[in-house]
Amino acid sequence: MTNKVSRQIEEHGSSPASRGGAGTYIEGELGAFYLLAMLAHIPAHGLPNARIVRVRSQGTDLGFKLDDLIIHGASPSGDALLEIQSKRDITFAPKDTVYREVAEQIALSHSTEVAEERHFVGIATQRTSRNISGAYQDVLKWAAAAETCGQFYKRLSAKGVASKVMRDFELTTRNNLVAGGVPDNDEAIWRILRRLLILEFDFESSVSLARTHGQMLARQMLADEDVGQADALWRTLIELSIATGTIGGSIDRQELKRKLVEIGFRLAGDRDYGPARIKIAEMAQMTLASIGSTVTGVNLPRFEAVAALDEAAGSHHFIEVRGGPGVGKSWVLRNLAERVARESPIIVLDPVTTPSGGWIAFAQALGISGTASDFLSDLAASGGAMIFIDSLDMFTDPGHQRTVVDLLRAASTIPGFTVIVTTRTASNPDFEPWLDDTITAECGGVHPVLVSELTEAEVAILVGQAPELKALLDKGHPASKIARNLYRLSRLVKVPSATEIRTEAVLAHYWWKSADGAAPADVRPAQRILADLAARSLRNEMSVVI
């Protein structure tokens, strides 16, 4: 495209022939990604609750230490700042000199513009790994979620709760930050870890999802008569990013719109998904909060299942976390959902909170003025290309099922969109599948991730953290098979006398009195049913249909 922007780039030596190599062009794509998010008025990847008001490149002269991109955001909670350093080759390993250099920059990064907790430091990487996507992100998530430094380090140091990979990452980060001048104490390190982001992009891939999502959003930014110019808009934003980086400077939303109009792009009218995003984030937070994640205060991470889900999420787009009732499937889903939600918007559904009636009802409940495809593309462009559905097999209401089908059908048309569900179909022979097979086929088929009962190693972890559970979890205990189910265990330990259960008779008496934790109003009816069944059995009448 021959225009003012192209001439400006050529004047500064950033034409395709002299861009300084693939690294410079990829940084241009990274900048274009954030410029497009600002143009669309959507939150930035890394700042899921803030809209971008200005994008700056090369801010060293203004005191920014991570200066590849500086994202200025605004939200109801206050202004936010995200400094990003882009590195193609970074592993975060102990001997990684690239990470050491970036960590030393982070150590010097301070801001007088925003409060410390609203000043984020991000490392954008083009090459990821299981550790980067999993264990390292979990450390940063734990640090951000902890209310105090002591709470974070207690969790990190607990045997079996955190892995060696996680502790090694914290130690590597600590050593690098201390080398950069940060005091070697837990409080100082935690205050940085809780603001540190690892932002994963894939612009180096021949089929880049970040680029694809950017181009889809670019199409939505154009007036109907110009939608065919989406690729040209994406390339122009790359050129603008490179040009801004070459000369240093910043650009806000109004200036960006003016430049694009001057070039000749006809833009669509502004749309505002902000209120809907807030509602979706609140719904996701509340739904996830209802999923239990501790037993007697011990957070058992189920490392094997988490690792299997992490691996599957890297290459599959419809993942079914399977297992018997109460084994911790929902917790495994929650772990990944909370990790992703720290940087990007997500949708979380369950049989209780899902609006009934299909996409139209879902859109009305959340105030979405647009098509399902447009809205999900909008989320994907912020890094939020994920839908989490807990207890898919428990969606029995046709209206709820219709909502799920409509959302997943739209998601299946968006490249890279991933759906993660939990089911107990393997142990529920009466379940009748209702999800359209064409949807899962469009996603590349269903990939199962199995969650089993507690292993001996996990039992040892629980007993180490909560010694009062030792007798209940002992192999010789009459309730051991029941207690080693996380849900049953969580129910048992809520009763003060539960850990004193020594015989099957005592256990049966406890069940008789509590109906397995049922509401008080339901206990008597349950007892009457059991008594009737027992009487029928004694009279050899169990063939009677009840």
Side-chain angles (χ1 to χ4, degrees):
M1 176 180 291
T2 302
N3 51 48
K4 184 185 297 184
V5 174
S6 296
R7 291 194 298 272
Q8 182 183 14
I9 290 171
E10 290 174 3
E11 289 170 3
H12 290 92
S14 294
S15 62
S18 57
R19 281 176 176 150
T24 302
Y25 189 74
I26 288 173
E27 289 178 8
E29 287 196 290
L30 180 65
F33 192 85
Y34 282 96
L35 286 175
L36 187 58
M38 180 172 67
L39 179 66
H41 226 211
I42 64 176
H45 183 37
L47 293 178
N49 300 316
R51 287 179 171 177
I52 306 173
V53 297
R54 178 173 292 274
V55 177
R56 180 181 296 278
S57 298
Q58 306 303 325
T60 304
D61 55 330
L62 297 176
F64 295 106
K65 302 304 178 183
L66 287 76
D67 66 340
D68 282 340
L69 280 177
I70 300 99
I71 311 300
H72 300 264
S75 76
S77 303
D79 291 344
L81 182 68
L82 170 60
E83 297 183 44
I84 300 175
Q85 199 71 31
S86 177
K87 295 296 181 182
R88 299 176 66 200
D89 299 297
I90 187 167
T91 65
F92 302 93
K95 296 182 180 181
D96 182 6
T97 58
V98 176
Y99 186 36
R100 185 180 308 133
E101 292 172 359
V102 176
E104 290 174 359
Q105 291 174 263
I106 292 173
L108 300 173
S109 179
H110 303 281
S111 175
T112 59
E113 293 184 30
V114 298
E116 181 187 82
E117 64 272 14
R118 304 285 294 167
H119 176 208
F120 299 91
V121 286
I123 303 171
T125 175
Q126 300 296 324
R127 300 174 184 176
T128 189
S129 66
R130 186 188 301 178
N131 284 342
I132 291 175
S133 296
Y136 300 167
Q137 296 284 15
D138 279 340
V139 171
L140 302 182
K141 182 191 73 174
W142 288 7
E147 295 181 359
T148 65
C149 161
Q151 185 184 77
F152 168 67
Y153 277 102
K154 180 180 179 180
R155 187 175 185 181
L156 189 67
S157 62
K159 181 181 178 181
V161 175
S163 65
K164 182 178 183 301
V165 172
M166 298 171 76
R167 285 190 284 268
D168 286 348
F169 172 67
E170 186 279 336
L171 180 60
T172 299
T173 304
R174 175 188 291 264
N175 290 339
N176 290 342
L177 291 173
V178 170
V182 174
D184 189 6
N185 64 69
D186 289 350
E187 180 74 22
I189 302 301
W190 169 68
R191 294 179 76 90
I192 292 178
L193 282 173
R194 66 201 303 257
R195 299 183 292 112
L196 177 61
L197 302 171
I198 300 176
L199 305 171
E200 299 172 66
F201 292 90
D202 65 347
F203 288 118
E204 283 197 344
S205 172
S206 58
V207 185
S208 167
L209 290 177
R211 184 183 301 116
T212 298
H213 293 154
Q215 291 168 338
M216 292 176 68
L217 186 58
R219 182 182 179 87
Q220 296 179 36
M221 291 298 97
L222 294 168
D224 291 343
E225 57 269 28
D226 261 14
V227 292
Q229 296 297 316
D231 288 346
L233 174 57
W234 176 250
R235 290 195 302 271
T236 298
L237 291 172
I238 295 172
E239 293 175 346
L240 275 170
S241 177
I242 294 174
T244 305
T246 300
I247 62 177
S250 67
I251 184 170
D252 63 21
R253 186 167 183 264
Q254 291 305 316
E255 184 181 359
L256 177 59
K257 291 177 69 174
R258 179 181 58 78
K259 285 179 177 289
L260 294 175
V261 170
E262 287 179 355
I263 291 169
F265 289 109
R266 288 171 289 188
L267 303 177
D270 285 346
R271 57 184 181 173
D272 189 3
Y273 286 144
R277 282 171 171 266
I278 293 173
K279 289 183 180 179
I280 281 180
E282 185 178 40
M283 185 171 74
Q285 184 179 27
M286 290 182 174
T287 303
L288 293 174
S290 68
I291 298 172
S293 60
T294 63
V295 177
T296 64
V298 180
N299 194 311
L300 193 65
R302 309 305 311 268
F303 284 127
E304 291 183 9
V306 168
L309 181 55
D310 285 342
E311 183 175 2
S315 54
H316 300 278
H317 297 297
F318 196 106
I319 302 167
E320 190 174 282
V321 182
R322 298 174 180 170
V327 297
K329 305 181 297 295
S330 298
W331 188 94
V332 173
L333 176 142
R334 174 179 174 173
N335 180 70
L336 179 58
E338 288 183 334
R339 183 200 301 162
V340 176
R342 185 170 178 247
E343 297 180 358
S344 310
I346 58 173
I347 295 175
V348 182
L349 306 175
D350 70 7
V352 177
T353 60
T354 301
S356 177
W359 166 253
I360 300 301
F362 185 87
Q364 288 177 343
L366 296 169
I368 302 170
S369 56
T371 68
S373 179
D374 283 352
F375 181 68
L376 295 180
S377 295
D378 187 274
L379 294 184
S382 294
M386 277 192 165
I387 294 178
F388 296 86
I389 306 176
D390 191 29
S391 301
L392 182 69
D393 55 314
M394 301 297 286
F395 280 74
T396 56
D397 177 76
H400 291 159
Q401 293 176 355
R402 175 63 183 273
T403 300
V404 171
V405 168
D406 286 356
L407 279 168
L408 297 193
R409 183 173 286 117
S412 68
T413 66
I414 299 172
F417 221 101
T418 299
V419 178
I420 298 177
V421 307
T422 65
T423 69
R424 54 177 187 171
T425 52
S427 60
N428 184 7
D430 295 328
F431 172 70
E432 295 184 7
W434 49 266
L435 193 61
D436 190 341
D437 289 342
T438 61
I439 294 175
T440 54
E442 285 290 333
C443 293
V446 177
H447 180 82
V449 170
L450 302 181
V451 182
S452 61
E453 300 283 355
L454 294 177
T455 65
E456 290 299 325
E458 289 171 329
V459 168
I461 292 168
L462 274 175
V463 171
Q465 297 292 313
E468 66 272 20
L469 299 179
K470 183 175 181 180
L472 195 59
L473 292 171
D474 187 87
K475 276 188 173 181
H477 194 286
S480 63
K481 291 185 178 180
I482 299 169
R484 292 189 177 209
N485 177 284
L486 281 174
Y487 172 77
R488 298 294 179 203
L489 180 60
S490 68
R491 303 295 264 181
L492 286 171
V493 298
K494 288 180 180 179
V495 180
S497 62
T499 54
E500 299 176 6
I501 294 174
R502 292 288 185 271
T503 67
E504 293 177 356
V506 175
L507 178 61
H509 184 253
Y510 161 66
W511 271 350
W512 174 259
K513 290 170 56 179
S514 67
D516 195 23
D522 295 332
V523 173
R524 289 297 296 167
Q527 289 175 339
R528 284 195 294 269
I529 292 172
L530 286 175
D532 182 63
L533 287 172
R536 288 172 181 272
S537 177
L538 291 173
R539 295 194 301 266
N540 199 25
E541 297 176 356
M542 291 307 291
S543 60
V544 177
V545 178
I546 300 174

